[in-house]
Amino acid sequence: MENQTSDILVNEKLSFDRFREEVLNDYKIACISREVSLVARKEVLTGKAKFGIFGDGKELAQVAMAKFFQTGDFRSGYYRDQTFMFAIGLATVEQFFSQLFADPDINNDPFSAGRQMNAHFATPFVDQSGEWLDLANRKNISSDIAPTAGQMPRALGLALASKSFRTIEELKQFTDLSDNGNEVCFVTVGDASTSEGHFWETVNAAAVLQVPMAIFVWDDGYGISVPKKYQTAKSSISEALRGMQKEEGTNGIHIYAVKGWDYAGMCEKFEEGIRITRETHVPVLFHVEEMTQPQGHSTSGSHERYKPSERLDWEREWDGIKKMREWVLENMLASDSELSELEQYSKEFVRESRAKAWEKYLGPIRKQVAQAVELINNLAKSLPEQASQLVKLSSELVSNHEPLRRDVLKTLNAALDLAGDHDATYWTRDYYNDLLKENKTIYNTFLYNEGPKSAMKVEEVKAEFGDDAPTLNGFEILNRYFDEAFAHNSKLLAFGEDLGQIGDVNQGFSGLQFKYGEGRVSDTGIRELTIMGQGIGLAMRGLRPIAEIQYLDYLLYGLEPLSDDAATLHYRTFGQQSCPVIVRTRGHRLEGIWHSGSPMGMVINSLRGMYVCVPRNMVQAVGMYNTLLNSNDPAIMIECLNGYRLKEKLPDNLLEFTVPFGIPEIIRHGTDITIVSYGATLRIAQNAADLLETFDISCEIIDVQTLLPFDIHHKIVDSLKKTNRIVFIDEDVPGGAAAYMFNKVMEEQGGYRYLDVAPRTITAKAHRPAYGSDGDYFSKPNAEEIEAVIKGMMKE
Ligand SMILES: Cc1ncc(C[n+]2csc(CCOP(=O)(O)OP(=O)(O)O)c2C)c(N)n1
Ligand SMILES: [Mg+2]
């Protein structure tokens, strides 16, 4: 009996010691993080970094949150989360400073290789050859982006992946990617950012879908200078969301309100909420109120300008770290001097880490400076006339205490300008070119996959047609294809408005939900923005989503996550994260202002980093789907609305044949003029070519097939060399994609050299197309207009 009692006492003592140790460790991390914010702000103000945004005032919530972030979990957050990153051990203070200095060495800033502003974190999801890592055995940070609430749509997909892995039988084999869907997606968002539609659409979709998502609203009462009363109904996001509260027998979300200075309270509630969402997949939201911003929003501006002095006083009084300190003392977990020691340690640790990061950042540039100075001084010896000016250049560079890479190049360039064509410039010019090349690798790589998972490296396999190949409607070709693809590739998922039960508005997925289940072929709410986010998050977790936008005109609703998130992901992570989402949509040639647009200029200009496929028919579309599914780049597929009921022959090798990207196809040979177009307009061009043939004018028609990439082998200029006349046609507005094609062929391919007459673009009118057949005829390019333009060109 006595033994037992002493065992219990020993155990209690042990667990008390462990508890105390954990609390003090959290306190230490909070102090370190605060010190980071203070020191980093000074770095910006003294000019060592350009901009800074920090997590001061948010420390306690984040050490608490980090306790429940398990291996396999994901975070989709924003720029306030440095403390969390320190606490889970995925960022060091040194790395934080490296990113602040925009150090382009991936070993120093492992989140973005200097490409992102500070506090934009990420961990690797794919290896160098583009293969998925064992995300189920890692802690995963999806790469942060700056647009407020931009992290929300992606979070839906990251969370939905867990549900998919748990509920779809075919996915259970991928144990590297998921532990039976036990992963929670932690989402952080600022109070003011909850005003964005992104927030509401995501929360509603998560509540409907019931996915494991834990949303933390960091409520510091302000979005830069604008207080809550202008942001949120009832000035409280948890109050405003009450109608979504999950009840017995309903879907919905669990809602908690906690105080940002209450360490113990947050630990308790976070533990409960996260356990529930992990087990049940009911989303949970923590409204973390009464947070502070000791240094204001960011280094651009000071909060004294807009916060009343009572608020500033309140923030000082209710500072989380101060409150935690009081709590530790009250509960006798440590003495005042022990805490002071931790505080002192934090200061020194941060100072040292900062210095190391600065040295690592500056070291390579200093070497470049030394090399450039030596070359320029040597040049000065060989060129006595320019010597004094050259020496002046090199000494200016030497005296620059915080030189940038561009300063080295500017100085070298100035020296070369001074020296002119002299032989002595050889080594300087050589070094200048080396540096240009190096900076290109540093700053201009990884927009797309460059390794084996590049869509550009997928081998071409031609479509094969047996003698008895059936002729089917375009939509039936797609339907057969999707059926085979879903049978073959268990990672494929498709979703969108009306895509599940009826198999999409044009029946490409007809019958496939019944065959492959609601998990894999599903209807969504009308929510283009989060359909895109759903696709992005699922793709990042190693699945292969086809995310549908019902009509191209509605891509606008979903464009932001594609442009800001999907298209930049590979670039902004230096190739460490990939998002092979396929956005499927249909466009061109329907009718009316919102059902026939062809905003291709908008698409290609906002989606650099995605591929843009514009197949002329559904067989070509199938080949492009195959190319995409053999690679990891995100893409948008724009099927021709009027192609679903056109007859096409069904290839025998449906799953194997591929259409290579950036390779145009000549679909009609001719000698007098080259017509360049894509998609639905090709048929109008064919009609015009028929008309022109009766006047002995022979047209060569080229289908570009993909707008991004565009004609990588310059096939179009080859045609132009033969015809010496060229016209670019599409249904976009003037100055849109036709102008882009024009620019590519004239400038990049040097097409201007082969012209006999001025090149033309024929496009839709600047207004949206009017409704009805006449509206269409007089709004978009038509065969007669093309005929007239080309006849005019032939007479010139
Ligand atoms: C779409 C978009 N609009 C505006 C901005 C500029 N901006 C950056 S942060 C911010 C305020 C965000 O406030 P809140 O969500 O409360 O987060 P906090 O910074 O207070 O943590 C604004 C307006 C932006 N980054 N993105
Ligand atoms: Mg705020």
Side-chain angles (χ1 to χ4, degrees):
M1 186 65 199
E2 205 169 280
N3 252 349
Q4 247 178 5
T5 316
S6 75
D7 273 359
I8 289 169
L9 285 177
V10 167
N11 282 340
E12 274 181 1
K13 167 92 173 68
L14 266 181
S15 64
F16 175 78
D17 284 350
R18 252 200 308 270
F19 168 69
R20 190 185 103 93
E21 202 179 301
E22 197 170 322
V23 169
L24 292 189
N25 191 47
D26 283 348
Y27 184 72
K28 185 174 83 181
I29 292 168
C31 288
I32 288 175
S33 180
R34 175 63 58 89
E35 192 59 25
V36 165
S37 304
L38 299 174
V39 172
R41 183 178 172 85
K42 288 197 195 102
E43 296 299 291
V44 177
L45 300 184
T46 57
K48 284 199 168 60
K50 286 205 94 165
F51 172 79
I53 192 147
F54 309 114
D56 44 324
K58 316 289 185 290
E59 292 93 348
L60 297 204
Q62 292 181 28
V63 288
M65 161 187 167
K67 291 184 193 306
F68 310 106
F69 191 83
Q70 295 182 359
T71 300
D73 284 346
F74 287 76
R75 168 184 162 280
S76 184
Y78 78 120
Y79 50 76
R80 293 282 180 220
D81 293 347
Q82 67 194 50
T83 316
F84 171 77
M85 291 299 293
F86 298 146
I88 54 167
L90 287 183
T92 66
V93 171
E94 195 183 309
Q95 289 165 343
F96 180 91
F97 278 101
S98 293
Q99 192 181 38
L100 183 78
F101 299 139
D103 188 331
D105 187 336
I106 186 78
N107 298 305
N108 301 338
D109 164 10
F111 321 117
S112 70
R115 291 178 176 193
Q116 290 231 64
M117 278 179 171
N118 82 298
H120 287 63
F121 301 105
T123 53
F125 284 20
V126 295
D127 67 17
Q128 284 185 345
S129 52
E131 298 294 340
W132 253 260
L133 297 167
D134 55 342
L135 302 186
N137 302 309
R138 296 162 169 262
K139 293 182 172 177
N140 306 295
I141 306 298
S142 67
S143 167
D144 294 339
I145 60 177
T148 45
Q151 68 275 29
M152 301 294 308
R154 173 205 324 144
L156 182 69
L158 292 171
L160 179 61
S162 291
K163 181 174 176 141
S164 304
F165 282 114
R166 189 179 281 182
T167 55
I168 299 171
E169 210 46 48
E170 300 93 298
L171 292 181
K172 300 221 161 158
Q173 53 182 307
F174 301 110
T175 50
D176 264 14
L177 295 176
S178 172
D179 173 20
N180 192 33
N182 286 328
E183 310 78 24
V184 172
C185 180
F186 286 54
V187 187
T188 63
V189 62
D191 55 313
S193 300
T194 66
S195 309
E196 297 277 15
H198 290 49
F199 175 84
W200 291 92
E201 199 177 303
T202 303
V203 173
N204 179 59
V208 168
L209 289 170
Q210 297 285 279
V211 292
M213 180 187 286
I215 303 170
F216 298 78
V217 181
W218 302 149
D219 185 352
D220 55 17
Y222 285 84
I224 308 186
S225 66
V226 183
K228 264 199 297 200
K229 67 173 175 181
Y230 297 121
Q231 302 281 2
T232 311
K234 304 184 181 179
S235 292
S236 165
I237 194 62
S238 47
E239 280 307 308
L241 282 167
R242 280 293 161 216
M244 294 210 198
Q245 173 83 53
K246 161 129 177 71
E247 286 161 21
E248 191 70 32
T250 72
N251 60 19
I253 65 174
H254 294 298
I255 301 170
Y256 294 87
V258 294
K259 307 286 187 205
W261 43 263
D262 178 11
Y263 169 78
M266 285 189 289
C267 288
E268 187 192 322
K269 292 291 187 284
F270 292 175
E271 189 281 326
E272 179 183 301
I274 290 162
R275 180 168 37 78
I276 291 174
T277 191
R278 199 181 295 286
E279 283 168 16
T280 64
H281 286 187
V282 178
V284 53
L285 179 134
F286 303 103
H287 180 194
V288 185
E289 297 177 274
E290 299 185 17
M291 289 183 135
T292 66
Q293 274 180 349
Q295 304 187 106
H297 175 77
S298 72
T299 52
S300 329
S302 77
H303 58 157
E304 286 81 6
R305 268 192 12 229
Y306 48 77
K307 283 184 189 161
S309 62
E310 307 81 67
R311 169 75 194 187
L312 290 166
D313 290 343
W314 179 88
E315 288 199 18
R316 272 186 289 272
E317 178 56 29
W318 290 87
D319 186 302
I321 295 186
K322 181 166 177 275
K323 288 289 155 202
M324 183 168 180
R325 197 180 203 285
E326 290 165 9
W327 178 82
V328 169
L329 292 174
E330 261 166 39
N331 289 280
M332 292 188 288
L333 295 169
S335 68
D336 187 78
S337 68
E338 275 175 290
L339 294 180
S340 299
E341 229 170 81
L342 286 180
E343 290 151 14
Q344 192 52 38
Y345 166 83
S346 307
K347 285 194 199 324
E348 277 155 31
F349 177 71
V350 171
R351 207 170 37 233
E352 279 165 24
S353 301
R354 185 220 75 94
K356 279 188 205 153
W358 181 248
E359 272 316 299
K360 281 189 181 170
Y361 161 71
L362 209 56
I365 305 180
R366 279 209 195 100
K367 274 195 196 140
Q368 293 184 3
V369 168
Q371 176 85 15
V373 164
E374 192 185 326
L375 284 164
I376 295 170
N377 289 347
N378 283 343
L379 205 53
K381 283 180 203 151
S382 314
L383 303 170
E385 267 182 40
Q386 290 89 349
S388 70
Q389 279 173 288
L390 286 168
V391 170
K392 185 164 172 264
L393 279 177
S394 69
S395 28
E396 272 169 13
L397 188 57
V398 170
S399 58
N400 183 346
H401 291 299
E402 282 151 24
L404 298 167
R405 283 174 165 74
R406 70 173 186 197
D407 298 326
V408 179
L409 278 156
K410 277 166 176 274
T411 307
L412 285 169
N413 187 63
L416 287 167
D417 281 351
L418 273 175
D421 273 346
H422 202 281
D423 281 353
T425 60
Y426 181 84
W427 290 111
T428 312
R429 203 172 295 283
D430 190 53
Y431 188 54
Y432 182 76
N433 289 331
D434 278 355
L435 287 185
L436 279 183
K437 215 153 95 195
E438 183 184 301
N439 284 307
K440 213 170 162 182
T441 311
I442 292 178
Y443 292 109
N444 310 124
T445 46
F446 293 123
L447 180 56
Y448 295 91
N449 275 270
E450 295 175 1
K453 285 296 177 184
S454 162
M456 303 307 290
K457 298 204 172 139
V458 174
E459 280 213 22
E460 177 176 10
V461 177
K462 295 226 185 291
E464 288 165 10
F465 299 93
D467 292 338
D468 53 352
T471 299
L472 302 175
N473 287 313
F475 79 86
E476 291 167 319
I477 302 255
L478 285 173
N479 190 241
R480 294 270 185 110
Y481 170 69
F482 288 135
D483 191 359
E484 283 191 28
F486 270 66
H488 170 80
N489 183 349
S490 38
K491 289 183 178 166
L492 262 180
L493 308 170
F495 44 85
E497 296 154 16
D498 304 290
L499 186 140
Q501 200 186 345
I502 66 166
D504 92 44
V505 285
N506 295 91
Q507 299 169 59
F509 280 94
S510 181
L512 301 188
Q513 181 179 70
F514 183 72
K515 200 158 168 186
Y516 297 101
E518 278 186 45
R520 294 186 65 196
V521 180
S522 51
D523 282 317
T524 65
I526 306 178
R527 48 175 181 81
E528 288 77 11
L529 181 70
T530 49
I531 293 173
M532 295 300 94
Q534 191 170 322
I536 293 168
L538 288 167
M540 289 177 74
R541 288 195 62 179
L543 295 169
R544 301 300 309 228
I546 297 176
E548 196 174 290
I549 296 281
Q550 198 161 67
Y551 295 103
L552 177 56
D553 306 68
Y554 307 128
L555 179 68
L556 264 175
Y557 276 54
L559 193 61
E560 188 279 326
L562 295 179
S563 183
D564 284 328
D565 203 358
T568 66
L569 182 70
H570 200 256
Y571 176 80
R572 73 182 195 264
T573 59
F574 206 65
Q576 299 181 101
Q577 294 185 3
S578 263
C579 169
V581 61
I582 299 177
V583 178
R584 177 186 186 224
T585 187
R586 48 190 74 83
H588 323 301
R589 290 285 144 186
L590 194 65
E591 285 182 1
I593 294 176
W594 295 282
H595 292 85
S596 60
S598 194
M600 305 306 296
M602 171 189 92
V603 168
I604 57 178
N605 288 325
S606 57
L607 300 182
R608 302 294 160 108
M610 291 181 70
Y611 288 127
V612 177
C613 302
V614 282
R616 65 178 177 275
N617 60 36
M618 302 311 156
V619 169
Q620 291 307 101
V622 166
M624 293 176 188
Y625 279 117
N626 281 331
T627 301
L628 287 169
L629 289 172
N630 281 309
S631 58
N632 277 356
D633 289 307
I636 178 163
M637 181 79 63
I638 300 168
E639 296 167 9
C640 292
L641 249 170
N642 58 1
Y644 293 116
R645 296 206 171 263
L646 296 180
K647 304 287 181 208
E648 296 181 54
K649 267 197 173 348
L650 182 75
D652 282 349
N653 55 345
L654 255 192
L655 279 189
E656 286 80 41
F657 96 90
T658 57
V659 169
F661 287 2
I663 310 290
E665 201 175 311
I666 298 173
I667 57 169
R668 179 183 183 121
H669 289 271
T671 51
D672 293 324
I673 183 160
T674 302
I675 299 177
V676 181
S677 191
Y678 58 89
T681 342
L682 285 169
R683 233 156 334 101
I684 316 276
Q686 298 264 29
N687 295 342
D690 290 342
L691 293 173
L692 287 160
E693 205 167 66
T694 62
F695 295 91
D696 270 345
I697 298 172
S698 156
C699 301
E700 178 141 302
I701 302 181
I702 301 185
D703 174 8
V704 304
Q705 306 217 75
T706 55
L707 284 166
L708 294 178
F710 185 84
D711 188 12
I712 54 171
H713 299 315
H714 298 187
K715 217 167 163 172
I716 297 172
V717 87
D718 286 344
S719 167
L720 180 57
K721 282 178 192 168
K722 183 173 69 179
T723 61
N724 308 111
R725 294 180 192 86
I726 193 163
V727 57
F728 301 87
I729 305 177
D730 75 358
E731 318 184 355
D732 196 2
V733 292
Y740 159 82
M741 299 194 289
F742 180 100
N743 169 264
K744 282 276 183 186
V745 176
M746 289 302 133
E747 185 179 337
E748 201 175 286
Q749 304 189 2
Y752 66 93
R753 282 174 290 172
Y754 308 102
L755 292 172
D756 279 353
V757 301
R760 308 283 210 278
T761 59
I762 302 176
T763 66
K765 302 290 182 285
H767 55 76
R768 303 264 185 116
Y771 174 64
S773 299
D774 277 345
D776 176 82
Y777 187 85
F778 293 106
S779 302
K780 289 186 169 182
N782 57 59
E784 291 70 26
E785 183 186 1
I786 297 170
E787 181 194 0
V789 170
I790 291 179
K791 275 184 178 165
M793 289 171 79
M794 295 305 296
K795 284 196 195 125
E796 267 179 39

